């Protein structure tokens, strides 16, 4: 974990230098179960019209602590085994935006800066002098300012920040749903190995003591 | 019962005598430090890669339309698929860490010198096979870096005079890296490890013939040799434990440490990533490739930078034993070389051009200069050392070794 954070930190530093002032925002992402669930609701309602998360199935959302009824609510008539596909067919996306909106399942791992990239993208929209919306992180991006960040005032922005944060947390989970399981197993494995290695050290000492 | 079974086998297969000769009676210098642990670790990693690889192959699909998805299938649906994959992807990097340390140890202690040249050369073959296997394995997840890395590296063969284009076509099986390439890389990635196993056996047979080198650099008197088992089995297993703690730290807590972000994007032949970097273990050689402005020259230089290690037994003309320990100039050169390789690796990870490029050129020159000046430096150093008078400890060691020893009587 700390190593990962170290890497994030380094890439943030270099990214900051490369992108200029404040393009990648270094915020603490809230990974609490409640935040993940709110993030899931945001992503399925706000992003799913355009983006897929094709490696996730609606039933996977149960693992976030949703009840089956809530999952049925989120799945908008889709079967629980169905993948989270965009409502907009790819060719329409291509026609409308000149590019199929990319799949978001792995987005949290697929850009330098990891989750900070997505967060900064969502909260990086602004209105330029001609009144066009643009993005600090991804200039002339073809995605609309979906949260309405560029026209929000300070009070609204506080709400949107939380929303972007939670959506990002959900995308981090979506990119690696096994992370919690992995870490849990990791603690046991390392504890076991430390014990085993300690014993092996004692055995080694004992065996070598015979040499005098 | 067990004894009768063993006796039955021994009549038909030299089991007991094999174990005796290669383990319980196999003599090993007792002064081996933990730097001698890394060959064992490399063997462990070879097994880990083969076993995890076989399980990955049961779920992986070498098809441009399915490969990326099948990796995600392994990560998400297959029972402990994420563990198998992260063991394999982290294992590849760990393999290079361990092998590079193993090589550095050999260079530091001069273990490549007579009579161990064949060990060094079989090791050189192992390194090349390992690199080939890693390179082909990296294509399989079919991410952006996989694709463009393979595209760039295979296109290098186009620098071959006259038949360059044909070679590239033959390697890829297509005009661009595509389905044919993915299929053959998968087949070869599964095959090469078995060549590695064969080469490792040769490496070990040679080892058990010439015996381990040791930090003093001379053959130790019999009394300083101890049986491999139980002494070094115990020591190696403890070393393995320490290694596994670090290794599992990466597997469980930072598994994406060695995976480029861009490789989480499916390969897209129409969109070149802004900055193509090979895996970290190829970075020094990648810098050497780019340091030469001419493609053919760059490819040749890169090839030489790997193959030149094989010349070490000829380049090192000093007869002072103990590798770098008693040789201040060789030691200094060793450390300069290590720093130089680190600089080359850093430059390789940066976009080309500018000051980093110039540093890369300088580091390339130093890299080759280290090898090419070694014959002169090592000769001169030996004369200098002898003129100054060798350290008494070393002189005593040398004296005890120079006369052919009569067989030692048990005292």
């Amino acid at each position: 974990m700390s190593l990962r954070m170290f890497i994030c930190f380094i890439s943030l530093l270099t990214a900051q230098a490369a992108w200029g002032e404040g393009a990648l925002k270094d915020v603490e992402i809230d990974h609490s179960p409640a935040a993940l669930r709110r993030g899931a609701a945001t992503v399925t309602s706000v992003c799913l019209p355009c983006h897929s998360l094709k490696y996730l199935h609606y039933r996977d959302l149960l693992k976030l602590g949703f009840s089956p009824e809530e999952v049925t609510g989120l799945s908008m008539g889709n079967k629980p085994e169905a993948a989270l596909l965009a409502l907009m067919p790819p060719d329409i996306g291509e026609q409308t935006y000149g590019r199929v909106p990319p799949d978001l399942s792995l987005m949290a791992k697929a850009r330098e800066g990891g989750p900070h990239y997505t967060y900064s993208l969502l909260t990086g929209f602004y209105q330029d002098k001609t009144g066009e919306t643009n993005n600090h992180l991804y200039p002339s991006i073809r995605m609309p300012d979906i949260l309405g960040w560029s026209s929000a005032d300070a009070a609204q922005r506080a709400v949107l920040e939380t929303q972007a944060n939670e959506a990002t947390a959900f995308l981090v989970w979506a990119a690696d749903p096994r992370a919690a399981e992995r870490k849990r197993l990791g603690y046991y494995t390392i504890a076991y190995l430390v014990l085993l290695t300690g014993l092996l050290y004692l055995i080694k000492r004992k065996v070598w003591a015979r040499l005098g | 019962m067990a004894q009768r079974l063993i006796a039955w086998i021994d009549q038909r297969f030299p089991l007991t005598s094999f174990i005796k000769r290669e383990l319980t009676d196999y003599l090993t210098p007792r002064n081996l430090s933990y730097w001698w642990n890394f060959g064992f670790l490399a063997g462990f990693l070879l097994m880990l890669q083969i076993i995890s690889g076989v399980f990955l192959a049961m779920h992986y699909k070498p098809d441009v339309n399915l490969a990326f998805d099948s990796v995600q299938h392994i990560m998400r649906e297959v029972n402990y698929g994420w563990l198998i994959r992260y063991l394999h992807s982290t294992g590849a990097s760990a393999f290079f860490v361990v092998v590079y340390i193993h090589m550095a140890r050999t260079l530091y202690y001069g273990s490549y010198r007579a009579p161990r040249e064949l060990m060094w050369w079989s090791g050189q073959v192992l390194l090349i096979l390992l690199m080939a296997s890693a390179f082909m394995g990296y294509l399989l997840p079919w991410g952006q870096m996989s694709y463009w890395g393979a595209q760039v590296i295979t296109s290098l063969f186009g620098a071959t005079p006259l038949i360059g284009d044909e070679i590239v076509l033959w390697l890829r099986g297509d005009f661009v890296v595509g389905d044919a390439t993915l299929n053959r890389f998968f087949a070869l990635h599964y095959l090469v490890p078995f060549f590695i196993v064969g080469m490792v056996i040769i490496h070990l047979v040679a080892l058990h013939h010439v015996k381990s080198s040791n930090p003093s650099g001379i053959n130790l008197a019999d009394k300083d040799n101890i049986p491999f088992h139980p002494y070094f089995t115990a020591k190696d297993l403890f070393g393995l434990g320490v290694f596994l703690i670090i290794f599992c730290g990466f597997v469980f807590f930072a598994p994406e440490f060695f995976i480029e972000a861009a490789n989480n994007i499916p390969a897209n032949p129409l969109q070149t990533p802004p900055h193509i970097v090979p895996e970290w273990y190829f970075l020094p050689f990648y810098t050497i490739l780019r340091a030469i402005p001419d493609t053919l020259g760059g490819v040749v230089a890169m090839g030489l930078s790997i193959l030149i290690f094989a010349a070490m037994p000829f380049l090192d003309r000093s007869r002072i034993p103990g590798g770098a320990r008693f040789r201040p100039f060789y030691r200094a050169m060793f450390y300069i070389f290590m720093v130089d390789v680190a600089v080359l690796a850093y430059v390789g990870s940066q976009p080309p051009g500018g000051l980093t490029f110039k540093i890369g050129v300088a580091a390339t020159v130093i890299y080759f200069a280290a090898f090419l000046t070694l014959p002169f430096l090592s000769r001169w150093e030996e004369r200098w050392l002898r003129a100054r008078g060798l350290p008494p400890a070393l002189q005593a060691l040398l004296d005890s070794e120079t006369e052919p020893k009569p067989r030692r009587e048990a005292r």
Side-chain angles (χ1 to χ4, degrees), chain A residues 15 23 46 52 61 71 112 208:
Chain A
V46 181
S52 297
L61 299 178
V71 171
E112 296 298 332
W208 280 69

Side-chain angles (χ1 to χ4, degrees), chain B residues 210-221:
Chain B
V210 297
K211 307 286 187 279
S212 287
S213 64
N214 69 77
S216 82
I218 58 170
N219 291 323
L220 294 176

Side-chain angles (χ1 to χ4, degrees), chain B residues 1-19:
Chain B
M1 178 63 208
Q3 252 165 3
R4 274 179 50 204
L5 181 67
I6 290 172
W8 188 91
I9 295 172
D10 276 338
Q11 258 176 11
R12 292 154 180 87
F13 180 89
L15 179 67
T16 307
S17 61
F18 180 82
I19 292 176

Side-chain angles (χ1 to χ4, degrees), chain B residues 108 324-325 327-340 370 377 381:
Chain B
Y108 185 88
R325 188 150 149 235
R327 298 170 59 188
F329 293 98
Y330 181 74
R331 190 166 62 232
M333 200 159 149
F334 173 84
Y335 287 121
I336 291 172
F337 186 74
M338 289 296 127
V339 173
D340 188 59
L377 181 119
E381 182 188 51

Side-chain angles (χ1 to χ4, degrees), chain A residues 1 3 7 54-55 57 106 109-111 174-175 177-178 182 186 189-190 193 197 200-201 204 207-208 211, chain B residues 68-69 72 76-77 82 86 226 231-232 237-238 241 244-245 248-250 252-253 255-257 261 264-265:
Chain A
M1 183 62 204
L3 253 170
I7 299 302
K54 65 174 173 176
Y55 297 123
H57 308 273
L106 286 169
K109 298 201 285 195
R111 295 286 183 278
R178 304 289 193 146
R182 191 182 70 227
T189 311
I190 302 262
L193 281 172
T197 307
L200 284 170
Y201 180 68
K204 190 245 158 195
V207 167
W208 280 69
L211 288 172
Chain B
F68 192 89
D69 290 352
Q72 285 307 313
R76 288 157 195 264
E77 321 290 341
W82 57 267
Y86 280 150
I226 51 178
Y231 297 105
F232 284 98
L237 283 176
F238 167 62
L244 280 178
I245 293 172
C248 287
F250 278 100
F252 289 100
F253 298 101
E256 301 268 331
F257 182 85
N264 285 314
I265 307 171

Side-chain angles (χ1 to χ4, degrees), chain B residues 84-253:
Chain B
I84 301 170
R85 184 198 172 208
Y86 280 150
L87 283 173
H88 200 75
S89 64
T90 315
S93 280
F95 211 151
F96 277 94
V97 172
V98 163
V99 162
Y100 285 161
I101 293 177
H102 189 58
M103 286 175 70
R105 188 274 286 157
T106 309
L107 289 173
Y108 185 88
Y109 288 105
S111 315
Y112 48 79
R113 292 202 262 174
R116 296 190 180 79
E117 297 96 326
L118 282 179
M119 295 217 58
W120 181 237
W121 292 332
S122 56
Q124 170 90 59
V125 175
L126 280 170
L127 175 69
I128 292 168
L129 289 174
L130 180 66
M131 286 178 156
S133 192
F135 168 64
M136 290 183 294
Y138 195 52
L139 182 68
L140 306 185
W142 203 247
Q144 273 288 69
M145 252 346 144
S146 300
Y147 180 87
W148 288 97
Q151 188 77 18
V152 169
I153 302 291
T154 49
S155 72
L156 292 178
F157 289 87
T160 319
L162 303 175
I163 49 166
D165 292 344
E166 280 76 9
I167 290 187
V168 175
L169 192 62
W170 178 75
L171 281 175
R172 291 177 181 162
D174 199 342
F175 292 101
V176 289
V177 170
D179 205 48
T181 325
L182 182 58
N183 265 295
R184 64 185 53 195
F185 274 32
F186 179 54
L188 294 173
H189 183 68
Y190 208 124
L191 171 68
V192 171
F194 297 99
F195 288 155
I196 296 183
V197 170
M199 209 61 208
V200 165
I201 292 173
I202 293 176
H203 200 66
L204 287 180
V205 169
L207 173 68
H208 281 222
H209 186 62
V210 297
K211 307 286 187 279
S212 287
S213 64
N214 69 77
S216 82
I218 58 170
N219 291 323
L220 294 176
D222 293 347
K223 69 173 161 42
D224 288 327
N225 283 331
I226 51 178
F228 189 84
H229 181 77
Y231 297 105
F232 284 98
T233 31
K235 195 169 179 174
D236 280 352
L237 283 176
F238 167 62
L240 177 66
V242 174
F243 165 79
L244 280 178
I245 293 172
I246 302 169
F247 180 69
C248 287
F250 278 100
V251 169
F252 289 100
F253 298 101

